[in-house]
Amino acid sequence: MAISYDDFSKVDIRVGTVIKAEAFPEARKPSLKLWVDFGPEVGERKSSAQITRHYDPDTLVGRQVAAVVNFPPRQIGPFMSEILVLGFPDADGEVVLVGPTLPVPDGGRLF
């Protein structure tokens, strides 16, 4: 199914830097809680992400990631997830995060 550019432009995908990450033992599936800084326009947002197969909290801080910042928040157990951090499945279906290969300013919008 084809979509228009107008449809695509409604999805606000930005880059941000992980400033805090911690285990989320209350989640039903193994997950981490992430706090991501998207710069002055969007600010800091948080997310629950099922990324424990390839990532641990210590290795994520300082990493830039791509995320959808304009979905409505979702309650994940006791945690409110405000963004959807993006990734692709590896050969086993586990998440590999999407991010720039070179540093870019936080808050940059995907185009």
Side-chain angles (χ1 to χ4, degrees):
M1 175 174 91
I3 65 169
S4 70
Y5 183 80
D6 287 340
D7 291 333
F8 172 73
S9 67
K10 293 175 186 175
V11 181
D12 192 357
I13 300 172
R14 305 272 181 141
V15 65
T17 299
V18 177
I19 57 173
K20 180 179 174 185
E22 61 185 44
F24 188 11
E26 303 90 354
R28 280 187 277 148
K29 295 182 181 180
S31 301
L32 299 177
K33 294 189 271 188
L34 305 177
W35 287 261
V36 183
D37 181 5
F38 291 96
E41 185 179 342
V42 175
E44 182 183 317
R45 302 277 179 92
K46 57 189 179 179
S47 181
S48 169
Q50 296 174 12
I51 58 173
T52 58
R53 177 77 176 267
H54 295 302
Y55 306 98
D56 62 63
D58 296 336
T59 63
L60 288 169
V61 174
R63 180 187 183 111
Q64 288 193 300
V65 295
V68 177
V69 299
N70 66 334
F71 282 156
R74 285 185 67 191
Q75 189 74 42
I76 310 292
F79 188 74
M80 184 63 73
S81 188
E82 302 169 316
I83 57 172
L84 176 64
V85 176
L86 300 176
F88 290 106
D90 68 9
D92 296 322
E94 299 292 336
V95 178
V96 175
L97 292 171
V98 173
T101 57
L102 298 172
V104 296
D106 287 333
R109 188 168 180 174
L110 181 73
F111 58 84

mmCIF file of all heavy atoms in Angstrom, residues 27-32 34 47-55 76 85 93-97:
data_model
loop_
_atom_site.group_PDB
_atom_site.id
_atom_site.type_symbol
_atom_site.label_atom_id
_atom_site.label_comp_id
_atom_site.label_asym_id
_atom_site.label_seq_id
_atom_site.Cartn_x
_atom_site.Cartn_y
_atom_site.Cartn_z
ATOM 1 N N ALA A 27 8.521 -5.091 33.815
ATOM 2 C CA ALA A 27 7.927 -5.334 32.494
ATOM 3 C C ALA A 27 7.669 -6.826 32.296
ATOM 4 O O ALA A 27 8.397 -7.669 32.823
ATOM 5 C CB ALA A 27 8.853 -4.812 31.406
ATOM 6 N N ARG A 28 6.633 -7.143 31.521
ATOM 7 C CA ARG A 28 6.312 -8.559 31.242
ATOM 8 C C ARG A 28 7.410 -9.238 30.434
ATOM 9 O O ARG A 28 7.717 -10.385 30.655
ATOM 10 C CB ARG A 28 4.982 -8.669 30.500
ATOM 11 C CG ARG A 28 3.788 -8.546 31.420
ATOM 12 C CD ARG A 28 2.496 -8.811 30.706
ATOM 13 N NE ARG A 28 2.094 -7.563 30.037
ATOM 14 C CZ ARG A 28 1.426 -7.494 28.901
ATOM 15 N NH1 ARG A 28 1.056 -8.584 28.282
ATOM 16 N NH2 ARG A 28 1.098 -6.335 28.390
ATOM 17 N N LYS A 29 7.967 -8.514 29.456
ATOM 18 C CA LYS A 29 9.063 -9.045 28.643
ATOM 19 C C LYS A 29 10.323 -8.287 29.023
ATOM 20 O O LYS A 29 10.253 -7.102 29.381
ATOM 21 C CB LYS A 29 8.762 -8.864 27.156
ATOM 22 C CG LYS A 29 7.574 -9.674 26.682
ATOM 23 C CD LYS A 29 7.355 -9.492 25.195
ATOM 24 C CE LYS A 29 6.152 -10.293 24.734
ATOM 25 N NZ LYS A 29 5.924 -10.124 23.305
ATOM 26 N N PRO A 30 11.499 -8.915 28.930
ATOM 27 C CA PRO A 30 12.742 -8.213 29.302
ATOM 28 C C PRO A 30 12.871 -6.882 28.561
ATOM 29 O O PRO A 30 12.795 -6.838 27.334
ATOM 30 C CB PRO A 30 13.833 -9.198 28.890
ATOM 31 C CG PRO A 30 13.171 -10.533 28.909
ATOM 32 C CD PRO A 30 11.746 -10.279 28.479
ATOM 33 N N SER A 31 13.028 -5.816 29.324
ATOM 34 C CA SER A 31 13.054 -4.472 28.754
ATOM 35 C C SER A 31 13.997 -3.575 29.538
ATOM 36 O O SER A 31 14.409 -3.895 30.650
ATOM 37 C CB SER A 31 11.653 -3.852 28.790
ATOM 38 O OG SER A 31 10.726 -4.618 28.073
ATOM 39 N N LEU A 32 14.298 -2.438 28.915
ATOM 40 C CA LEU A 32 15.057 -1.377 29.562
ATOM 41 C C LEU A 32 14.218 -0.108 29.546
ATOM 42 O O LEU A 32 13.402 0.103 28.644
ATOM 43 C CB LEU A 32 16.378 -1.123 28.830
ATOM 44 C CG LEU A 32 17.363 -2.275 28.757
ATOM 45 C CD1 LEU A 32 18.574 -1.866 27.929
ATOM 46 C CD2 LEU A 32 17.787 -2.717 30.144
ATOM 47 N N LEU A 34 14.586 3.879 29.062
ATOM 48 C CA LEU A 34 15.523 4.832 28.475
ATOM 49 C C LEU A 34 15.004 6.251 28.645
ATOM 50 O O LEU A 34 13.807 6.498 28.494
ATOM 51 C CB LEU A 34 15.688 4.570 26.970
ATOM 52 C CG LEU A 34 16.090 3.176 26.523
ATOM 53 C CD1 LEU A 34 16.119 3.116 24.999
ATOM 54 C CD2 LEU A 34 17.425 2.786 27.104
ATOM 55 N N SER A 47 11.271 6.077 27.365
ATOM 56 C CA SER A 47 10.724 4.955 26.619
ATOM 57 C C SER A 47 11.038 3.647 27.311
ATOM 58 O O SER A 47 12.082 3.499 27.950
ATOM 59 C CB SER A 47 11.326 4.927 25.208
ATOM 60 O OG SER A 47 10.790 3.853 24.454
ATOM 61 N N SER A 48 10.151 2.693 27.147
ATOM 62 C CA SER A 48 10.415 1.305 27.509
ATOM 63 C C SER A 48 10.756 0.590 26.204
ATOM 64 O O SER A 48 10.038 0.723 25.212
ATOM 65 C CB SER A 48 9.168 0.681 28.136
ATOM 66 O OG SER A 48 9.325 -0.711 28.254
ATOM 67 N N ALA A 49 11.863 -0.150 26.207
ATOM 68 C CA ALA A 49 12.303 -0.796 24.966
ATOM 69 C C ALA A 49 12.750 -2.233 25.243
ATOM 70 O O ALA A 49 13.516 -2.482 26.176
ATOM 71 C CB ALA A 49 13.450 -0.007 24.342
ATOM 72 N N GLN A 50 12.272 -3.155 24.421
ATOM 73 C CA GLN A 50 12.653 -4.564 24.536
ATOM 74 C C GLN A 50 13.946 -4.795 23.745
ATOM 75 O O GLN A 50 13.932 -5.359 22.656
ATOM 76 C CB GLN A 50 11.523 -5.455 24.030
ATOM 77 C CG GLN A 50 10.273 -5.345 24.862
ATOM 78 C CD GLN A 50 9.112 -6.115 24.264
ATOM 79 O OE1 GLN A 50 9.260 -6.913 23.353
ATOM 80 N NE2 GLN A 50 7.919 -5.867 24.781
ATOM 81 N N ILE A 51 15.044 -4.344 24.323
ATOM 82 C CA ILE A 51 16.332 -4.365 23.615
ATOM 83 C C ILE A 51 17.428 -5.046 24.430
ATOM 84 O O ILE A 51 18.611 -4.833 24.184
ATOM 85 C CB ILE A 51 16.763 -2.936 23.231
ATOM 86 C CG1 ILE A 51 16.859 -2.040 24.472
ATOM 87 C CG2 ILE A 51 15.808 -2.332 22.201
ATOM 88 C CD1 ILE A 51 17.442 -0.667 24.200
ATOM 89 N N THR A 52 17.037 -5.885 25.386
ATOM 90 C CA THR A 52 18.021 -6.457 26.313
ATOM 91 C C THR A 52 18.943 -7.492 25.670
ATOM 92 O O THR A 52 19.986 -7.806 26.231
ATOM 93 C CB THR A 52 17.323 -7.097 27.527
ATOM 94 O OG1 THR A 52 16.409 -8.104 27.059
ATOM 95 C CG2 THR A 52 16.572 -6.042 28.330
ATOM 96 N N ARG A 53 18.585 -8.038 24.539
ATOM 97 C CA ARG A 53 19.424 -9.066 23.899
ATOM 98 C C ARG A 53 20.777 -8.501 23.478
ATOM 99 O O ARG A 53 21.801 -9.130 23.641
ATOM 100 C CB ARG A 53 18.688 -9.661 22.703
ATOM 101 C CG ARG A 53 19.468 -10.672 21.908
ATOM 102 C CD ARG A 53 19.513 -12.023 22.645
ATOM 103 N NE ARG A 53 20.174 -13.036 21.874
ATOM 104 C CZ ARG A 53 19.562 -13.875 21.078
ATOM 105 N NH1 ARG A 53 18.261 -13.832 20.921
ATOM 106 N NH2 ARG A 53 20.253 -14.789 20.419
ATOM 107 N N HIS A 54 20.784 -7.290 22.908
ATOM 108 C CA HIS A 54 22.019 -6.702 22.378
ATOM 109 C C HIS A 54 22.560 -5.531 23.194
ATOM 110 O O HIS A 54 23.672 -5.078 22.935
ATOM 111 C CB HIS A 54 21.809 -6.226 20.943
ATOM 112 C CG HIS A 54 21.523 -7.333 19.985
ATOM 113 N ND1 HIS A 54 22.377 -8.392 19.783
ATOM 114 C CD2 HIS A 54 20.456 -7.560 19.182
ATOM 115 C CE1 HIS A 54 21.862 -9.217 18.892
ATOM 116 N NE2 HIS A 54 20.692 -8.736 18.516
ATOM 117 N N TYR A 55 21.782 -5.027 24.148
ATOM 118 C CA TYR A 55 22.182 -3.805 24.837
ATOM 119 C C TYR A 55 22.011 -3.949 26.346
ATOM 120 O O TYR A 55 21.069 -4.579 26.815
ATOM 121 C CB TYR A 55 21.333 -2.618 24.354
ATOM 122 C CG TYR A 55 21.355 -2.463 22.853
ATOM 123 C CD1 TYR A 55 20.314 -2.960 22.068
ATOM 124 C CD2 TYR A 55 22.412 -1.836 22.218
ATOM 125 C CE1 TYR A 55 20.334 -2.831 20.685
ATOM 126 C CE2 TYR A 55 22.441 -1.706 20.834
ATOM 127 C CZ TYR A 55 21.401 -2.211 20.076
ATOM 128 O OH TYR A 55 21.430 -2.086 18.718
ATOM 129 N N ILE A 76 3.233 1.330 30.315
ATOM 130 C CA ILE A 76 3.847 0.006 30.289
ATOM 131 C C ILE A 76 4.087 -0.366 31.753
ATOM 132 O O ILE A 76 5.070 0.070 32.361
ATOM 133 C CB ILE A 76 5.181 -0.012 29.510
ATOM 134 C CG1 ILE A 76 5.042 0.646 28.129
ATOM 135 C CG2 ILE A 76 5.732 -1.424 29.431
ATOM 136 C CD1 ILE A 76 4.190 -0.098 27.143
ATOM 137 N N VAL A 85 11.305 4.125 20.377
ATOM 138 C CA VAL A 85 12.672 4.008 19.886
ATOM 139 C C VAL A 85 12.654 3.001 18.743
ATOM 140 O O VAL A 85 12.025 1.945 18.843
ATOM 141 C CB VAL A 85 13.620 3.570 21.021
ATOM 142 C CG1 VAL A 85 15.025 3.354 20.504
ATOM 143 C CG2 VAL A 85 13.627 4.617 22.132
ATOM 144 N N GLY A 93 15.208 -12.067 15.195
ATOM 145 C CA GLY A 93 14.061 -11.245 15.539
ATOM 146 C C GLY A 93 14.294 -10.305 16.703
ATOM 147 O O GLY A 93 13.358 -9.687 17.200
ATOM 148 N N GLU A 94 15.540 -10.172 17.151
ATOM 149 C CA GLU A 94 15.871 -9.276 18.256
ATOM 150 C C GLU A 94 16.177 -7.878 17.725
ATOM 151 O O GLU A 94 16.727 -7.720 16.634
ATOM 152 C CB GLU A 94 17.068 -9.813 19.037
ATOM 153 C CG GLU A 94 16.834 -11.174 19.648
ATOM 154 C CD GLU A 94 15.804 -11.169 20.761
ATOM 155 O OE1 GLU A 94 15.594 -10.113 21.387
ATOM 156 O OE2 GLU A 94 15.215 -12.236 21.015
ATOM 157 N N VAL A 95 15.863 -6.858 18.504
ATOM 158 C CA VAL A 95 15.974 -5.464 18.065
ATOM 159 C C VAL A 95 17.428 -4.999 17.980
ATOM 160 O O VAL A 95 18.197 -5.166 18.924
ATOM 161 C CB VAL A 95 15.200 -4.531 19.011
ATOM 162 C CG1 VAL A 95 15.352 -3.073 18.578
ATOM 163 C CG2 VAL A 95 13.734 -4.920 19.062
ATOM 164 N N VAL A 96 17.747 -4.380 16.837
ATOM 165 C CA VAL A 96 19.006 -3.660 16.637
ATOM 166 C C VAL A 96 18.607 -2.196 16.431
ATOM 167 O O VAL A 96 17.851 -1.881 15.507
ATOM 168 C CB VAL A 96 19.785 -4.203 15.423
ATOM 169 C CG1 VAL A 96 21.021 -3.360 15.169
ATOM 170 C CG2 VAL A 96 20.148 -5.667 15.631
ATOM 171 N N LEU A 97 19.081 -1.336 17.308
ATOM 172 C CA LEU A 97 18.667 0.068 17.285
ATOM 173 C C LEU A 97 19.100 0.803 16.017
ATOM 174 O O LEU A 97 20.148 0.508 15.443
ATOM 175 C CB LEU A 97 19.239 0.801 18.496
ATOM 176 C CG LEU A 97 18.670 0.372 19.845
ATOM 177 C CD1 LEU A 97 19.463 1.007 20.972
ATOM 178 C CD2 LEU A 97 17.197 0.730 19.951
#
